[in-house]
Amino acid sequence: MARLVVGVVIAVVVFTIYAFVDCALTERSRVRGLPKALWLLVVVVLPLIGGLLWFLIGRGPTRRRFLPPDDDPTFLGGGRRNSPSSGHAPTVDELALLEQELANLDSDADDDGDGRSR
């Protein structure tokens, strides 16, 4: 029976510490019901009940949704232009012209006279 009581006390202490840290690190805009300082006091003074109240009442929903870069439309170019210098995405003709310029540069490098390419 003593082991059960010790186990329950340890679980309550761990839960209280978790609730306290969660309350302390939560943004002020997500705290509901009471000011953040009072929630911290409630969690410490009423260890099990205070933590439960914090998670059920005091902690508001997350308002921001974080997206990975490949799912974020602003990262993919929805909010900005693809090519900052020209103001638009390159067309097929522009890409063909760039490829031709690169080929010309490669052939010029081979014609330097030493017979080695760089």
Side-chain angles (χ1 to χ4, degrees), residues 77-96:
R80 58 181 165 78
R81 299 285 184 193
N82 289 335
S83 178
S85 61
S86 63
H88 67 282
T91 64
V92 175
D93 294 332
E94 291 172 333
L95 289 175

Side-chain angles (χ1 to χ4, degrees), residues 3-118:
R3 288 183 183 174
L4 179 64
V5 172
V6 170
V8 169
V9 168
I10 290 173
V12 169
V13 169
V14 168
F15 176 72
T16 301
I17 291 171
Y18 180 75
F20 183 83
V21 170
D22 186 68
C23 181
L25 296 178
T26 300
E27 298 172 5
R28 286 182 188 233
S29 62
R30 290 186 55 207
V31 176
R32 296 185 303 183
L34 298 171
K36 193 176 193 178
L38 284 177
W39 274 118
L40 290 169
L41 186 65
V42 167
V43 169
V44 171
V45 171
L46 305 170
L48 182 61
I49 296 171
L52 288 173
L53 288 174
W54 162 248
F55 285 113
L56 295 175
I57 298 171
R59 187 176 182 196
T62 303
R63 290 190 177 96
R64 293 176 55 185
R65 184 173 155 219
F66 294 102
L67 295 173
D70 56 345
D71 291 338
D72 188 0
T74 58
F75 181 82
L76 294 175
R80 58 181 165 78
R81 299 285 184 193
N82 289 335
S83 178
S85 61
S86 63
H88 67 282
T91 64
V92 175
D93 294 332
E94 291 172 333
L95 289 175
L97 180 63
L98 289 172
E99 288 177 1
Q100 183 61 40
E101 288 177 8
L102 287 174
N104 291 342
L105 288 174
D106 283 342
S107 66
D108 289 345
D110 290 340
D111 294 339
D112 281 343
D114 60 358
R116 294 182 295 171
S117 62
R118 295 180 198 183

